Amino acid sequence: LRFAEHRSRWLDERARWRAFVTQCPLVGPHPRRVLRARAFLCTATLSLVLFVLVENLVESEGTPFYFIWLTNWTGVLTGVYAATHLIATARALEDAGTSGLRTNGLPGTEGIDVDENTDARRDDVPRVARALWFCKASAPTCQFLITLMYWAILYNPAYAKPSASNVTAHGGLCLALLVDLLAAARLPVGEVFFDFLGAFAFLLAYLAFNVAFTLGGAKNNAGDEYVYEILAWRTHAVRAVIVVAFVGLIVLPLSFFVAAFSARIRDAYFFPTQSLRAEDRAAVRVDAPGEGHGEGGEARLRV
C-alpha cells in the first residue's frame, strides 16, 4: 500500500475510537465495569510511573536527570497512554449516555457507536483520542524495547544491583502494559503501518535529544559526557551508529511484532467475530430497525 492509503486506513480506524475504548475483554460490555477497570489500570500505571520518578529524583539528590533517559521518556509515554485511555473511555461512555449510540451488531459490543460514514467523522475526533491513537502502539512497543535492551545489553550486575525502581522501570511498566494489552484493552495494534511509524517517530525524537545532549557537552548524573556509554557520540561515534542501526533494524521491529502479536492473540480469544482485516471490516454494514438504541434495539450484519 502507498503512504496515502496507509494514512487513510489509520484515520478510518481512529474515527471509530468510541467503538474501541468502550470495550474491555475481562468485564464485557458493561459501561460502569469498563470505566472502573480503566480507572484502576490508569491509577496503577500512573502510580508506577510516579514511583520511578520520585525514586530517580531522590537517588540523584533532587537533580532532575530523570528526563535524559529513554527509559523515563517511555515511562512518561506510558503514563500518557493510561491517562488518555481513561479520559477517552469516560468521554465515549458519556456520549453514549446522552445521545444513545446504536449497536454495531457484533457480540460483546452492544451500545457501541459505529458510524458508517467514517469520512465525516475523521475531523470529529477529540484531542484526547488523537493522543491515545499515537500512544496505543508506541507505548507497548517502546516498553518492550527498553526492557529487552536493558536486561540483555545494558545491565551489568558488577555496577548496579536490581532495585525496586529499576525493576519497575525496566519490567514492571512493561508487564502492566502487556496485561492491559492482552486482557483489558480493545485498541487495535499493528493493523496499520502508522502504528509502527508512531513508535519510530518517538524513538527518533529521543535519538535527536541524545545526540544534542552528548555533542552539546552536557553531562549525566555521574559526570559522564553522554547519557548511555554505548551512545558516546564524542568518543565512539562508530559504535553509537552501529547500536542505533541494531535497535532500528532489529530490536524495534521485534518489539513492535510482540505488541502486535499480543493484540492479535487477544482479539482471536476474546473477539473472534471481530478479528477481521481492515478491508474486510469496511464491507460490514449495520441494519438496525428504528433507532436501535438500548435493550430493545436489534442489529443485523450484512456483508
Side-chain angles (χ1 to χ4, degrees):
L1 294 177
R2 289 178 288 185
F3 181 85
E5 294 174 336
H6 280 292
R7 180 175 181 274
S8 179
R9 288 176 56 184
W10 188 76
L11 291 175
D12 287 343
E13 178 190 272
R14 192 181 67 180
R16 300 176 59 243
W17 66 276
R18 291 182 179 86
F20 293 113
V21 301
T22 48
Q23 298 183 65
C24 179
L26 285 181
V27 301
H30 305 285
R32 290 184 180 179
R33 294 180 184 177
V34 170
L35 189 58
R36 289 171 182 170
R38 185 50 50 194
F40 172 79
L41 289 168
C42 178
T43 302
T45 302
L46 290 180
S47 297
L48 294 177
V49 173
L50 291 175
F51 169 70
V52 174
L53 170 61
V54 172
E55 283 293 309
N56 272 256
L57 294 179
V58 171
E59 290 175 2
S60 299
E61 299 179 352
T63 308
F65 286 103
Y66 176 87
F67 290 104
I68 72 173
W69 311 102
L70 175 59
T71 296
N72 298 332
W73 276 46
T74 305
V76 172
L77 177 67
T78 302
V80 172
Y81 162 80
T84 55
H85 202 167
L86 172 61
I87 297 172
T89 301
R91 177 162 180 173
L93 293 176
E94 181 181 7
D95 292 344
T98 57
S99 61
L101 301 178
R102 59 195 176 88
T103 177
N104 66 359
L106 295 176
T109 59
E110 290 77 12
I112 296 173
D113 182 28
V114 175
D115 194 324
E116 295 174 10
N117 188 10
T118 54
D119 289 337
R121 300 181 62 85
R122 284 183 175 182
D123 297 329
D124 189 27
V125 178
R127 291 179 180 177
V128 65
R130 294 172 185 263
L132 173 61
W133 237 248
F134 173 81
C135 299
K136 69 182 178 71
S138 55
T141 297
C142 292
Q143 279 294 346
F144 293 143
L145 183 145
I146 64 169
T147 300
L148 176 62
M149 287 288 294
Y150 181 78
W151 295 110
I153 298 177
L154 296 176
Y155 177 70
N156 187 339
Y159 295 98
K161 295 181 179 180
S163 63
S165 62
N166 205 17
V167 173
T168 300
H170 304 97
L173 284 169
C174 180
L175 179 61
L177 277 191
L178 180 61
V179 172
D180 184 291
L181 186 62
L182 285 173
R186 177 62 182 94
L187 299 177
V189 174
E191 294 190 11
V192 290
F193 185 64
F194 263 53
D195 281 348
F196 179 82
L197 290 182
F200 180 81
F202 177 80
L203 293 174
L204 190 63
Y206 177 78
L207 176 62
F209 164 80
N210 186 281
V211 173
F213 181 96
T214 304
L215 298 183
K219 298 181 180 180
N220 62 19
N221 55 322
D224 303 314
E225 292 186 342
Y226 50 74
V227 179
Y228 298 100
E229 185 177 1
I230 61 173
L231 294 178
W233 296 96
R234 281 175 172 267
T235 56
H236 297 84
V238 174
R239 182 182 64 187
V241 170
I242 293 174
V243 170
V244 170
F246 172 74
V247 172
L249 297 176
I250 298 178
V251 184
L252 175 58
L254 176 62
S255 301
F256 182 76
F257 171 79
V258 173
F261 187 67
S262 299
R264 288 182 177 273
I265 292 176
R266 173 205 64 203
D267 292 346
Y269 183 79
F270 288 105
F271 307 100
T273 57
Q274 297 185 62
S275 297
L276 306 174
R277 298 189 308 176
E279 54 267 31
D280 296 330
R281 284 198 302 269
V284 175
R285 295 292 182 269
V286 177
D287 184 13
E291 294 295 326
H293 299 162
E295 297 180 355
E298 297 180 359
R300 298 186 299 275
L301 284 177
R302 293 187 312 192
V303 178

CSV table of all heavy atoms in Angstrom, one decimal, residues 84-137:
chain,number,residue,atom,x,y,z
A,84,THR,N,-4.9,9.1,28.9
A,84,THR,CA,-5.7,9.4,27.7
A,84,THR,C,-6.7,8.2,27.5
A,84,THR,O,-7.9,8.5,27.0
A,84,THR,CB,-4.9,9.6,26.4
A,84,THR,OG1,-4.0,8.5,26.2
A,84,THR,CG2,-4.1,10.9,26.6
A,85,HIS,N,-6.4,7.0,27.8
A,85,HIS,CA,-7.3,5.9,27.6
A,85,HIS,C,-8.5,6.0,28.6
A,85,HIS,O,-9.6,5.8,28.2
A,85,HIS,CB,-6.5,4.6,27.8
A,85,HIS,CG,-7.2,3.4,27.2
A,85,HIS,ND1,-6.6,2.1,27.1
A,85,HIS,CD2,-8.4,3.2,26.7
A,85,HIS,CE1,-7.4,1.3,26.5
A,85,HIS,NE2,-8.5,1.9,26.2
A,86,LEU,N,-8.2,6.4,29.8
A,86,LEU,CA,-9.2,6.6,30.8
A,86,LEU,C,-10.2,7.7,30.4
A,86,LEU,O,-11.4,7.6,30.4
A,86,LEU,CB,-8.6,6.8,32.1
A,86,LEU,CG,-9.6,7.3,33.2
A,86,LEU,CD1,-10.7,6.2,33.5
A,86,LEU,CD2,-8.9,7.6,34.5
A,87,ILE,N,-9.6,8.9,30.0
A,87,ILE,CA,-10.4,10.0,29.6
A,87,ILE,C,-11.2,9.8,28.4
A,87,ILE,O,-12.4,10.1,28.3
A,87,ILE,CB,-9.5,11.3,29.4
A,87,ILE,CG1,-8.7,11.6,30.7
A,87,ILE,CG2,-10.3,12.5,29.0
A,87,ILE,CD1,-7.7,12.7,30.6
A,88,ALA,N,-10.6,9.1,27.4
A,88,ALA,CA,-11.4,8.8,26.2
A,88,ALA,C,-12.5,7.8,26.5
A,88,ALA,O,-13.6,8.0,25.9
A,88,ALA,CB,-10.4,8.2,25.1
A,89,THR,N,-12.3,6.9,27.4
A,89,THR,CA,-13.3,5.9,27.7
A,89,THR,C,-14.5,6.7,28.4
A,89,THR,O,-15.7,6.4,28.1
A,89,THR,CB,-12.8,4.8,28.6
A,89,THR,OG1,-11.7,4.1,28.0
A,89,THR,CG2,-13.9,3.8,29.0
A,90,ALA,N,-14.1,7.5,29.4
A,90,ALA,CA,-15.2,8.3,30.1
A,90,ALA,C,-16.0,9.1,29.1
A,90,ALA,O,-17.2,9.2,29.2
A,90,ALA,CB,-14.5,9.1,31.2
A,91,ARG,N,-15.3,9.8,28.2
A,91,ARG,CA,-16.0,10.7,27.3
A,91,ARG,C,-16.9,9.9,26.3
A,91,ARG,O,-18.0,10.3,26.0
A,91,ARG,CB,-15.0,11.5,26.4
A,91,ARG,CG,-15.6,12.3,25.4
A,91,ARG,CD,-14.7,13.4,24.9
A,91,ARG,NE,-15.4,14.2,23.9
A,91,ARG,CZ,-14.9,15.3,23.4
A,91,ARG,NH1,-13.7,15.7,23.8
A,91,ARG,NH2,-15.5,16.0,22.4
A,92,ALA,N,-16.4,8.7,25.8
A,92,ALA,CA,-17.2,7.9,24.9
A,92,ALA,C,-18.5,7.4,25.6
A,92,ALA,O,-19.6,7.4,25.1
A,92,ALA,CB,-16.4,6.7,24.4
A,93,LEU,N,-18.3,6.9,26.9
A,93,LEU,CA,-19.5,6.5,27.6
A,93,LEU,C,-20.4,7.6,28.0
A,93,LEU,O,-21.7,7.4,28.0
A,93,LEU,CB,-19.0,5.7,28.9
A,93,LEU,CG,-18.2,4.4,28.7
A,93,LEU,CD1,-17.7,3.9,30.0
A,93,LEU,CD2,-19.1,3.4,28.0
A,94,GLU,N,-19.9,8.8,28.2
A,94,GLU,CA,-20.8,9.9,28.5
A,94,GLU,C,-21.6,10.3,27.2
A,94,GLU,O,-22.8,10.5,27.3
A,94,GLU,CB,-19.9,11.1,28.9
A,94,GLU,CG,-20.8,12.4,29.2
A,94,GLU,CD,-19.9,13.6,29.6
A,94,GLU,OE1,-18.7,13.5,29.5
A,94,GLU,OE2,-20.5,14.6,30.0
A,95,ASP,N,-20.9,10.2,26.1
A,95,ASP,CA,-21.6,10.5,24.8
A,95,ASP,C,-22.7,9.4,24.6
A,95,ASP,O,-23.8,9.8,24.1
A,95,ASP,CB,-20.6,10.4,23.6
A,95,ASP,CG,-19.6,11.6,23.7
A,95,ASP,OD1,-19.9,12.6,24.4
A,95,ASP,OD2,-18.6,11.5,23.0
A,96,ALA,N,-22.4,8.2,24.9
A,96,ALA,CA,-23.4,7.1,24.7
A,96,ALA,C,-24.6,7.3,25.6
A,96,ALA,O,-25.7,7.1,25.2
A,96,ALA,CB,-22.7,5.8,25.1
A,97,GLY,N,-24.4,7.9,26.8
A,97,GLY,CA,-25.5,8.1,27.7
A,97,GLY,C,-26.3,9.3,27.3
A,97,GLY,O,-27.6,9.3,27.6
A,98,THR,N,-25.7,10.3,26.7
A,98,THR,CA,-26.5,11.5,26.4
A,98,THR,C,-27.2,11.4,25.0
A,98,THR,O,-28.2,12.0,24.8
A,98,THR,CB,-25.6,12.7,26.4
A,98,THR,OG1,-24.5,12.5,25.5
A,98,THR,CG2,-25.0,12.9,27.8
A,99,SER,N,-26.5,10.7,24.0
A,99,SER,CA,-27.1,10.7,22.7
A,99,SER,C,-27.6,9.4,22.3
A,99,SER,O,-28.4,9.3,21.3
A,99,SER,CB,-26.0,11.1,21.7
A,99,SER,OG,-24.9,10.2,21.7
A,100,GLY,N,-27.3,8.3,23.0
A,100,GLY,CA,-27.7,7.0,22.6
A,100,GLY,C,-27.1,6.5,21.4
A,100,GLY,O,-27.4,6.9,20.3
A,101,LEU,N,-26.1,5.6,21.5
A,101,LEU,CA,-25.4,5.1,20.4
A,101,LEU,C,-25.9,3.7,20.0
A,101,LEU,O,-26.2,2.9,20.8
A,101,LEU,CB,-23.9,5.0,20.8
A,101,LEU,CG,-23.2,6.3,21.2
A,101,LEU,CD1,-21.8,6.1,21.6
A,101,LEU,CD2,-23.3,7.3,20.1
A,102,ARG,N,-25.9,3.5,18.7
A,102,ARG,CA,-26.5,2.3,18.2
A,102,ARG,C,-25.5,1.1,18.2
A,102,ARG,O,-24.3,1.4,18.1
A,102,ARG,CB,-27.1,2.5,16.9
A,102,ARG,CG,-26.2,2.9,15.8
A,102,ARG,CD,-27.0,3.4,14.6
A,102,ARG,NE,-26.1,4.0,13.6
A,102,ARG,CZ,-25.6,3.3,12.6
A,102,ARG,NH1,-25.8,2.0,12.5
A,102,ARG,NH2,-24.8,3.9,11.7
A,103,THR,N,-26.0,-0.1,18.2
A,103,THR,CA,-25.1,-1.2,18.3
A,103,THR,C,-24.5,-1.5,16.9
A,103,THR,O,-25.0,-1.1,15.9
A,103,THR,CB,-25.8,-2.5,18.7
A,103,THR,OG1,-24.9,-3.6,18.6
A,103,THR,CG2,-27.0,-2.8,17.8
A,104,ASN,N,-23.3,-2.1,16.9
A,104,ASN,CA,-22.7,-2.5,15.6
A,104,ASN,C,-23.0,-3.9,15.3
A,104,ASN,O,-22.5,-4.4,14.3
A,104,ASN,CB,-21.2,-2.3,15.7
A,104,ASN,CG,-20.5,-3.2,16.7
A,104,ASN,OD1,-21.1,-4.0,17.3
A,104,ASN,ND2,-19.1,-3.1,16.7
A,105,GLY,N,-23.8,-4.6,16.1
A,105,GLY,CA,-24.2,-5.9,15.8
A,105,GLY,C,-23.2,-7.0,16.1
A,105,GLY,O,-23.5,-8.2,15.7
A,106,LEU,N,-22.1,-6.7,16.7
A,106,LEU,CA,-21.1,-7.7,16.9
A,106,LEU,C,-21.2,-8.1,18.4
A,106,LEU,O,-21.4,-7.3,19.3
A,106,LEU,CB,-19.7,-7.2,16.6
A,106,LEU,CG,-19.4,-6.9,15.2
A,106,LEU,CD1,-18.1,-6.3,15.0
A,106,LEU,CD2,-19.6,-8.2,14.3
A,107,PRO,N,-21.0,-9.4,18.7
A,107,PRO,CA,-21.1,-9.9,20.1
A,107,PRO,C,-20.2,-9.2,21.0
A,107,PRO,O,-19.1,-8.9,20.7
A,107,PRO,CB,-20.7,-11.4,19.9
A,107,PRO,CG,-21.0,-11.7,18.5
A,107,PRO,CD,-20.7,-10.5,17.8
A,108,GLY,N,-20.8,-8.8,22.2
A,108,GLY,CA,-20.0,-8.2,23.2
A,108,GLY,C,-19.7,-6.7,23.0
A,108,GLY,O,-18.9,-6.1,23.7
A,109,THR,N,-20.4,-6.1,22.1
A,109,THR,CA,-20.2,-4.6,21.8
A,109,THR,C,-21.5,-3.9,21.7
A,109,THR,O,-21.6,-2.9,21.0
A,109,THR,CB,-19.4,-4.4,20.5
A,109,THR,OG1,-20.2,-5.0,19.4
A,109,THR,CG2,-18.1,-5.1,20.6
A,110,GLU,N,-22.5,-4.3,22.5
A,110,GLU,CA,-23.8,-3.6,22.5
A,110,GLU,C,-23.7,-2.2,22.9
A,110,GLU,O,-23.0,-1.9,23.9
A,110,GLU,CB,-24.8,-4.4,23.4
A,110,GLU,CG,-25.2,-5.7,22.8
A,110,GLU,CD,-24.2,-6.8,23.0
A,110,GLU,OE1,-23.3,-6.5,23.8
A,110,GLU,OE2,-24.3,-7.9,22.4
A,111,GLY,N,-24.3,-1.3,22.2
A,111,GLY,CA,-24.4,0.1,22.6
A,111,GLY,C,-23.1,0.9,22.2
A,111,GLY,O,-22.9,2.0,22.6
A,112,ILE,N,-22.3,0.3,21.3
A,112,ILE,CA,-21.1,1.0,20.8
A,112,ILE,C,-21.4,1.6,19.5
A,112,ILE,O,-21.9,0.9,18.6
A,112,ILE,CB,-19.9,0.0,20.8
A,112,ILE,CG1,-19.6,-0.5,22.2
A,112,ILE,CG2,-18.7,0.6,20.2
A,112,ILE,CD1,-18.6,-1.6,22.2
A,113,ASP,N,-21.0,2.8,19.3
A,113,ASP,CA,-21.2,3.6,18.1
A,113,ASP,C,-20.3,3.1,17.0
A,113,ASP,O,-19.1,3.0,17.1
A,113,ASP,CB,-21.0,5.1,18.4
A,113,ASP,CG,-21.3,5.9,17.2
A,113,ASP,OD1,-22.1,5.5,16.4
A,113,ASP,OD2,-20.7,7.0,17.1
A,114,VAL,N,-20.9,2.8,15.8
A,114,VAL,CA,-20.2,2.6,14.6
A,114,VAL,C,-20.9,3.4,13.5
A,114,VAL,O,-21.9,3.0,13.0
A,114,VAL,CB,-20.2,1.1,14.2
A,114,VAL,CG1,-19.5,0.9,12.9
A,114,VAL,CG2,-19.4,0.3,15.3
A,115,ASP,N,-20.3,4.5,13.1
A,115,ASP,CA,-20.8,5.3,12.1
A,115,ASP,C,-20.3,4.9,10.8
A,115,ASP,O,-19.1,4.8,10.6
A,115,ASP,CB,-20.4,6.8,12.4
A,115,ASP,CG,-21.2,7.8,11.5
A,115,ASP,OD1,-21.5,7.4,10.4
A,115,ASP,OD2,-21.5,8.9,12.1
A,116,GLU,N,-21.2,4.5,9.8
A,116,GLU,CA,-20.7,4.1,8.5
A,116,GLU,C,-20.0,5.1,7.8
A,116,GLU,O,-19.1,4.8,7.0
A,116,GLU,CB,-22.0,3.6,7.8
A,116,GLU,CG,-22.7,2.4,8.4
A,116,GLU,CD,-23.9,2.0,7.7
A,116,GLU,OE1,-24.2,2.6,6.6
A,116,GLU,OE2,-24.7,1.2,8.2
A,117,ASN,N,-20.3,6.4,8.0
A,117,ASN,CA,-19.7,7.5,7.3
A,117,ASN,C,-18.5,7.9,8.0
A,117,ASN,O,-18.4,9.0,8.6
A,117,ASN,CB,-20.7,8.6,7.1
A,117,ASN,CG,-20.1,9.7,6.2
A,117,ASN,OD1,-19.1,9.5,5.5
A,117,ASN,ND2,-20.8,10.8,6.1
A,118,THR,N,-17.4,7.1,8.0
A,118,THR,CA,-16.2,7.4,8.7
A,118,THR,C,-15.5,8.7,8.2
A,118,THR,O,-14.8,9.4,8.9
A,118,THR,CB,-15.2,6.3,8.7
A,118,THR,OG1,-15.0,5.9,7.4
A,118,THR,CG2,-15.8,5.1,9.5
A,119,ASP,N,-15.7,9.0,6.9
A,119,ASP,CA,-15.1,10.1,6.3
A,119,ASP,C,-15.5,11.4,7.0
A,119,ASP,O,-14.8,12.3,7.2
A,119,ASP,CB,-15.4,10.2,4.8
A,119,ASP,CG,-14.6,9.2,4.0
A,119,ASP,OD1,-13.6,8.7,4.5
A,119,ASP,OD2,-15.1,8.8,2.9
A,120,ALA,N,-16.8,11.4,7.4
A,120,ALA,CA,-17.4,12.6,8.0
A,120,ALA,C,-16.9,12.7,9.5
A,120,ALA,O,-17.0,13.8,10.1
A,120,ALA,CB,-18.9,12.5,8.0
A,121,ARG,N,-16.4,11.6,10.0
A,121,ARG,CA,-16.0,11.6,11.5
A,121,ARG,C,-14.5,11.8,11.7
A,121,ARG,O,-14.1,11.9,12.8
A,121,ARG,CB,-16.5,10.2,12.1
A,121,ARG,CG,-18.0,10.0,12.1
A,121,ARG,CD,-18.3,8.7,12.7
A,121,ARG,NE,-17.9,8.7,14.1
A,121,ARG,CZ,-18.7,9.2,15.1
A,121,ARG,NH1,-19.8,9.7,14.8
A,121,ARG,NH2,-18.3,9.2,16.4
A,122,ARG,N,-13.8,11.8,10.6
A,122,ARG,CA,-12.3,11.9,10.7
A,122,ARG,C,-11.9,13.1,11.4
A,122,ARG,O,-10.9,13.1,12.2
A,122,ARG,CB,-11.7,11.8,9.3
A,122,ARG,CG,-11.6,10.4,8.7
A,122,ARG,CD,-10.9,10.5,7.4
A,122,ARG,NE,-10.7,9.1,6.9
A,122,ARG,CZ,-10.0,8.9,5.7
A,122,ARG,NH1,-9.5,9.9,5.0
A,122,ARG,NH2,-9.9,7.7,5.3
A,123,ASP,N,-12.6,14.2,11.1
A,123,ASP,CA,-12.2,15.5,11.8
A,123,ASP,C,-12.9,15.7,13.1
A,123,ASP,O,-12.7,16.7,13.8
A,123,ASP,CB,-12.6,16.7,10.8
A,123,ASP,CG,-11.7,16.6,9.5
A,123,ASP,OD1,-10.6,16.1,9.6
A,123,ASP,OD2,-12.3,17.0,8.5
A,124,ASP,N,-13.8,14.8,13.4
A,124,ASP,CA,-14.6,14.9,14.7
A,124,ASP,C,-14.0,14.0,15.8
A,124,ASP,O,-14.7,13.4,16.5
A,124,ASP,CB,-16.1,14.6,14.4
A,124,ASP,CG,-16.9,14.9,15.6
A,124,ASP,OD1,-16.6,15.8,16.4
A,124,ASP,OD2,-18.0,14.3,15.8
A,125,VAL,N,-12.7,14.0,15.8
A,125,VAL,CA,-12.0,13.2,16.8
A,125,VAL,C,-11.4,14.1,17.9
A,125,VAL,O,-10.6,15.0,17.5
A,125,VAL,CB,-10.9,12.3,16.2
A,125,VAL,CG1,-10.2,11.5,17.2
A,125,VAL,CG2,-11.5,11.4,15.1
A,126,PRO,N,-11.8,14.0,19.1
A,126,PRO,CA,-11.2,14.9,20.2
A,126,PRO,C,-9.7,14.7,20.3
A,126,PRO,O,-9.1,13.7,20.0
A,126,PRO,CB,-12.0,14.5,21.4
A,126,PRO,CG,-12.4,13.1,21.2
A,126,PRO,CD,-12.7,13.0,19.7
A,127,ARG,N,-9.1,15.7,20.9
A,127,ARG,CA,-7.6,15.6,21.1
A,127,ARG,C,-7.2,14.5,21.9
A,127,ARG,O,-6.1,13.9,21.7
A,127,ARG,CB,-7.2,17.0,21.7
A,127,ARG,CG,-7.3,18.2,20.7
A,127,ARG,CD,-6.8,19.4,21.4
A,127,ARG,NE,-7.0,20.6,20.5
A,127,ARG,CZ,-6.7,21.8,20.9
A,127,ARG,NH1,-6.2,22.1,22.1
A,127,ARG,NH2,-6.9,22.8,20.0
A,128,VAL,N,-8.0,14.1,22.9
A,128,VAL,CA,-7.6,13.1,23.8
A,128,VAL,C,-7.5,11.7,23.1
A,128,VAL,O,-6.6,10.9,23.3
A,128,VAL,CB,-8.5,12.9,25.0
A,128,VAL,CG1,-9.9,12.6,24.6
A,128,VAL,CG2,-8.0,12.0,26.1
A,129,ALA,N,-8.4,11.5,22.1
A,129,ALA,CA,-8.4,10.3,21.3
A,129,ALA,C,-7.3,10.4,20.3
A,129,ALA,O,-6.7,9.3,20.0
A,129,ALA,CB,-9.7,10.2,20.6
A,130,ARG,N,-7.0,11.5,19.8
A,130,ARG,CA,-5.8,11.6,18.9
A,130,ARG,C,-4.5,11.3,19.6
A,130,ARG,O,-3.6,10.6,19.1
A,130,ARG,CB,-5.7,13.1,18.3
A,130,ARG,CG,-6.9,13.4,17.4
A,130,ARG,CD,-6.9,14.9,17.0
A,130,ARG,NE,-8.0,15.3,16.3
A,130,ARG,CZ,-8.1,15.4,14.9
A,130,ARG,NH1,-7.0,15.1,14.3
A,130,ARG,NH2,-9.2,15.7,14.3
A,131,ALA,N,-4.4,11.8,20.8
A,131,ALA,CA,-3.2,11.5,21.6
A,131,ALA,C,-3.1,10.0,21.9
A,131,ALA,O,-2.1,9.4,21.9
A,131,ALA,CB,-3.2,12.3,22.9
A,132,LEU,N,-4.3,9.4,22.3
A,132,LEU,CA,-4.3,8.0,22.6
A,132,LEU,C,-3.9,7.2,21.4
A,132,LEU,O,-3.2,6.1,21.5
A,132,LEU,CB,-5.7,7.6,23.0
A,132,LEU,CG,-6.0,6.1,23.2
A,132,LEU,CD1,-5.1,5.5,24.3
A,132,LEU,CD2,-7.5,5.9,23.6
A,133,TRP,N,-4.3,7.6,20.2
A,133,TRP,CA,-4.0,6.8,19.0
A,133,TRP,C,-2.5,6.8,18.7
A,133,TRP,O,-2.0,5.9,18.0
A,133,TRP,CB,-4.9,7.3,17.8
A,133,TRP,CG,-5.7,6.2,17.2
A,133,TRP,CD1,-5.5,5.6,16.0
A,133,TRP,CD2,-6.7,5.5,17.9
A,133,TRP,NE1,-6.4,4.5,15.9
A,133,TRP,CE2,-7.2,4.5,17.0
A,133,TRP,CE3,-7.3,5.6,19.1
A,133,TRP,CZ2,-8.2,3.6,17.4
A,133,TRP,CZ3,-8.4,4.7,19.5
A,133,TRP,CH2,-8.8,3.8,18.6
A,134,PHE,N,-1.8,7.9,19.1
A,134,PHE,CA,-0.4,7.9,18.9
A,134,PHE,C,0.3,6.9,19.9
A,134,PHE,O,1.3,6.3,19.6
A,134,PHE,CB,0.2,9.3,19.1
A,134,PHE,CG,1.7,9.3,19.1
A,134,PHE,CD1,2.4,9.3,17.9
A,134,PHE,CD2,2.4,9.4,20.3
A,134,PHE,CE1,3.8,9.4,17.9
A,134,PHE,CE2,3.8,9.4,20.3
A,134,PHE,CZ,4.5,9.4,19.1
A,135,CYS,N,-0.3,6.9,21.2
A,135,CYS,CA,0.3,6.1,22.2
A,135,CYS,C,0.0,4.6,22.2
A,135,CYS,O,0.8,3.8,22.8
A,135,CYS,CB,-0.1,6.7,23.6
A,135,CYS,SG,0.4,8.4,23.9
A,136,LYS,N,-1.1,4.2,21.6
A,136,LYS,CA,-1.6,2.9,21.7
A,136,LYS,C,-0.7,1.8,21.3
A,136,LYS,O,-0.6,0.7,21.8
A,136,LYS,CB,-3.0,2.7,21.0
A,136,LYS,CG,-2.9,2.8,19.5
A,136,LYS,CD,-4.2,2.7,18.8
A,136,LYS,CE,-4.2,2.8,17.3
A,136,LYS,NZ,-3.6,1.6,16.7
A,137,ALA,N,0.1,2.1,20.3
A,137,ALA,CA,1.1,1.1,19.8
A,137,ALA,C,2.5,1.5,20.2
A,137,ALA,O,3.4,0.6,20.5
A,137,ALA,CB,1.1,1.0,18.3
